[in-house]
Amino acid sequence: MNSLLPLLLIFAVMMLPLLFMSSRQKKAQQKQRELVNQLGVGDEVRTHSGFYGLIVETYEDVVILESEDGSQTKWARQAIAMGVDPVSAEEASTPQDENDSVSDEGSIPGVTVAEESTRPEDSRDR
């Protein structure tokens, strides 16, 4: 009987972290389930796979998402990762920083293109 007590103590010490982790995971799953159940028609969402869409129809455990091009796809409610705050057109077109503004039309922000005259091939004597 004396040799059984240390074994039970070791077993209990190993099981306590597992119990705490599983309760934390259950709380996170419940929070995710509540978030998904609160979403309705007109909400913009992101799925776990990275698809952004607008909820146009809801059923018990299925939602119909509409993409920007107007196509509609059927998704399981559990595939929704989170709701997304839609960005208005004014916010998207207004630069956040003075350095972000684009001086030339047709240029790509954040991409620097070298002048043609500074290329090494043009500076060689032929």
Side-chain angles (χ1 to χ4, degrees):
M1 186 71 171
N2 286 339
S3 64
L4 189 59
L5 185 62
L7 185 63
L8 289 174
L9 185 63
I10 291 172
F11 183 72
V13 169
M14 290 173 48
M15 291 304 292
L16 284 175
L18 292 175
L19 292 173
F20 287 128
M21 286 190 304
S22 68
S23 67
R24 208 177 315 153
Q25 185 178 18
K26 285 180 186 177
K27 287 179 185 176
Q29 287 175 348
Q30 180 64 27
K31 185 178 176 183
Q32 175 69 18
R33 200 175 304 123
E34 289 173 4
L35 168 83
V36 169
N37 288 335
Q38 289 176 355
L39 296 171
V41 175
D43 291 331
E44 188 172 353
V45 296
R46 181 179 64 87
T47 65
H48 288 289
S49 61
F51 178 79
Y52 287 87
L54 183 71
I55 298 177
V56 292
E57 291 182 49
T58 60
Y59 300 101
E60 199 167 309
D61 53 339
V62 174
V63 294
I64 306 296
L65 299 180
E66 183 176 313
S67 64
E68 287 184 13
D69 66 355
S71 62
Q72 295 182 356
T73 54
K74 187 189 310 186
W75 291 80
R77 252 187 207 275
Q78 293 81 14
I80 296 174
M82 60 188 279
V84 178
D85 294 330
V87 178
S88 67
E90 289 179 11
E91 292 175 6
S93 65
T94 306
Q96 297 294 328
D97 190 16
E98 295 165 4
N99 297 334
D100 290 343
S101 62
V102 178
S103 59
D104 309 65
E105 281 189 38
S107 66
I108 302 170
V111 176
T112 306
V113 179
E115 298 279 330
E116 287 187 27
S117 62
T118 60
R119 291 178 32 195
E121 300 91 36
D122 294 341
S123 62
R124 280 191 250 154
D125 295 324
R126 292 185 186 199

